[in-house]
Amino acid sequence: MSPDRLAEINARYHMFSAISPEIPEDAGFLFSAKDNLTSAGMETKCGSRILEGYVPVFDAAAIERMKAAGGALVGKTNMDEFGFGTFSVNSAFGVPLNPFDPERSCGGSSGGSACAAAVLEGHVSLGVSTGGSVSCPASFCGVYGLTPTYGRVSRHGLIDYGNSLDKVGLLSADAPVLGRRLAEISGRDPRDPTSCAQPELSLSGKRISSVAAPEEALRGVSGAVGEAFKASLDRIRESGADVETISMPSLRYAIPAYYVIATCEASTNLARYVGMRYGRQDGDLSLGFDDYFASFRTEYFGDEAKRRILLGTYARMAGFRDRYYAKALRVRAHIIESYKEAFGRFDAVATPTMPFIAPRFSEISAMSPVDSFAADFLTVPPNLAGIPHLSVPCGYSEGMPIGLHVSTDHWREDLLASFAEDWSESFKAERAGVGQ
Ligand code: GLN
């Protein structure tokens, strides 16, 4: 695939924020990476004007390892600014268009990665999830999305959104590729101490033999999604696994806890963008420090980034910290316990991935910020718990894909890799936009 050809495809779908000037013909495989992973010599801007012109001098660990495995990086994928969003509409550099219907969202925040995985043949894309940003776009674009256990893949070179939540994952239309590439990019890395406690990843081929379906997951999903989910559970039963409905009441508190923790972490991470070190540095230098920083941040951060700075700073203020941040951490611990309890009896927990099919852009602009936060209620819980999860295409409504979400215990990506492979053999996923 030549860079020109890629540019043509990009003109149609807006999945890339940068395309490599050269793509070697003898590469083992081609991949793209979300634009919050640093890429040596290639602009990395996280969907934000504040980072425009930032050309890192090193590759993120995940990109480095993909290259070491024979991969060629073909482009950086478009995303919600710093990962803040569910529909990839919060990007300063154009919005990726869903290959099944260009009037609809690709999902977010790794929307460009899902779009590239859906449209390009044999492609794999590195995405990043903080609260569901691999699963959501995978489900809206009808591809497979694997988010590993927190710490499985080094975060070195990943531009932080929420450090206790961020995970590098993989998206592809080709299910068996997920496990293979995960094995290549995972492992300890002294440059990310949180990656150092992990056990070895062994793709044992072991299969999921029991699945819990929390009843809370079906409250608030559309009729079509509910039906596709029930049909998926039947398919799992037919494959020989036990499926049981359980109750996980703590899931209902995941959204408020997540948005407190994530915005607290995000607001501290964004403090480094003041027009001095990375990206743009073209503010009015005759101003004093505070005025320079304030005018620069006002000009170059988008609305959603500003909203998260305000929310996170408020929740961390003396006096509010215990009421919001500390409480959210207790809810998080409670959610982890409920998963541990479920995994004492079952190999996996299954829910739909998103409560609805990819919305139209006109529908998204009518949503309030809270409506859009609430759409994540199924993807946020496993992300808060740091457990691995997988979205697989499981049905279609109005011609748009629906996703099934499967989570397993910490470090059990082996079960997800074999599930993805088995699922792809029995479920014929539709593709859109391929070869255009
Ligand atoms: N939609 C969620 C958010 O806006 C999750 C995004 C992500 O995982 N980066 O925070």
Side-chain angles (χ1 to χ4, degrees), residues 34 36 79-87 90 108-110 128-136 161-162 165-167 258-259 262-263 304 308 354 372-373 375-376 379-380 383:
K34 188 173 181 178
N36 54 357
M79 57 181 282
D80 284 301
E81 185 173 16
F82 290 103
F84 306 149
T86 304
F87 305 112
N90 301 326
S109 60
S110 315
V128 175
S129 175
T130 306
S133 279
V134 167
S135 295
C136 162
Y161 165 175
L165 293 155
D166 298 339
K167 298 156 296 282
Y258 168 78
Y259 275 97
T263 56
E304 191 58 30
R308 305 222 178 183
M354 294 303 287
S372 126
F373 292 175
D376 298 340
T379 60
V380 153
N383 279 280

